[in-house]
């Protein structure tokens, strides 16, 4: 039976991102990633020759997931800003896991910081183009940030999105 190198790479990246979330960069060692993915260390090194290559792969995947999210936002049409807010509180998705991993990496990695800045800029630019108001776009983005933070730390209020939608409706959005 032929092996699927793409599936193995994804499994390794999943393991790396999970270990970053659970144990930080110190716990996301090559040995730990291989073990968590159920792959030999040699198999890991075949796909990612170093931790730096794992980081690069993780950030490339984040970039791809953000591109997909941008396309989904665009497909929401006039509801683009609502789509952004509704999906801001989603946890456990591939994009969420990639964002958490990048956040862990950003504590000590400039490329991860740059990837997160690029992500935020892409969302902001799309919101700004859609709304035609940079202040409103930033406000929507910051509300989404708060909803994401609350959801990830178990502080979410079930009615939060409803409150935001009522305010946006009063603003004619």
């Amino acid at each position: 039976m032929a092996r699927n190198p793409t599936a193995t790479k994804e499994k390794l990246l999943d393991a790396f991102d999970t270990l970053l979330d659970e144990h930080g960069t110190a716990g996301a060692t090559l040995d730990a990633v291989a073990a968590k993915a159920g792959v030999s260390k040699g198999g890991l090194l075949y796909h990612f020759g170093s931790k730096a290559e794992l980081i690069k792969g993780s950030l490339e995947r984040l970039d791809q997931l953000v591109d997909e999210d941008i396309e989904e936002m665009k497909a929401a049409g006039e509801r683009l800003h609502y789509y952004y807010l509704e999906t801001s509180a989603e946890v456990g998705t591939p994009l969420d896991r990639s964002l958490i991993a990048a956040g862990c990496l950003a504590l000590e990695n400039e490329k991860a910081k740059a990837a997160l800045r690029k992500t935020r800029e892409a969302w902001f630019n799309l919101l700004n183009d859609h709304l035609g108001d940079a202040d409103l776009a930033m406000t929507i983005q910051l509300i989404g940030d708060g909803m994401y933070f609350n959801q990830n730390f178990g502080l979410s209020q079930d009615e939060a999105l409803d409150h935001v939608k009522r305010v946006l409706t009063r603003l004619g959005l």
Side-chain angles (χ1 to χ4, degrees):
M1 179 166 151
R3 294 182 186 178
N4 182 344
T6 302
T8 301
K9 284 181 88 167
E10 289 300 312
K11 191 168 27 168
L12 289 163
L13 289 171
D14 288 343
F16 182 61
D17 288 354
T18 298
L19 287 166
L20 285 168
D21 182 28
E22 293 174 353
H23 305 289
T25 55
T29 64
L30 294 178
D31 289 327
V33 171
K36 184 141 190 94
V39 174
S40 69
K41 188 169 181 184
L44 164 66
L45 292 172
Y46 174 78
H47 294 286
F48 299 100
S50 65
K51 191 169 183 177
E53 287 297 312
L54 271 169
I55 292 169
K56 180 181 175 196
S58 180
L59 296 177
E60 286 172 351
R61 182 164 66 171
L62 172 62
D63 194 42
Q64 175 191 346
L65 291 168
V66 170
D67 287 347
E68 292 170 9
D69 189 57
I70 293 288
E71 291 307 311
E72 290 176 24
M73 285 176 69
K74 289 176 182 177
E78 289 304 311
R79 293 196 78 257
L80 185 146
H81 54 292
Y82 282 111
Y83 172 91
Y84 178 80
L85 290 168
E86 290 164 356
T87 60
S88 287
E90 291 180 345
V91 295
T93 65
L95 178 56
D96 172 51
R97 289 189 302 272
S98 284
L99 286 167
I100 290 170
C104 292
L105 290 168
L107 296 172
E108 54 193 58
N109 184 292
E110 289 302 317
K111 290 180 181 177
K113 286 179 191 174
L116 289 172
R117 275 192 298 275
K118 180 181 172 190
T119 294
R120 291 193 49 74
E121 287 170 6
W123 284 329
F124 171 79
N125 289 337
L126 191 56
L127 286 165
N128 188 32
D129 290 346
H130 170 68
L131 297 167
D133 182 330
D135 294 332
L136 184 56
M138 180 57 68
T139 300
I140 296 291
Q141 190 168 39
L142 291 171
I143 291 168
D145 289 350
M147 292 172 62
Y148 181 76
F149 177 87
N150 284 342
Q151 190 67 28
N152 268 291
F153 291 99
L155 306 171
S156 181
Q157 295 175 309
D158 293 335
E159 310 85 27
L161 184 58
D162 293 332
H163 290 290
V164 171
K165 286 181 175 181
R166 283 194 295 274
V167 170
L168 293 177
T169 298
R170 287 197 302 265
L171 293 172
L173 299 171

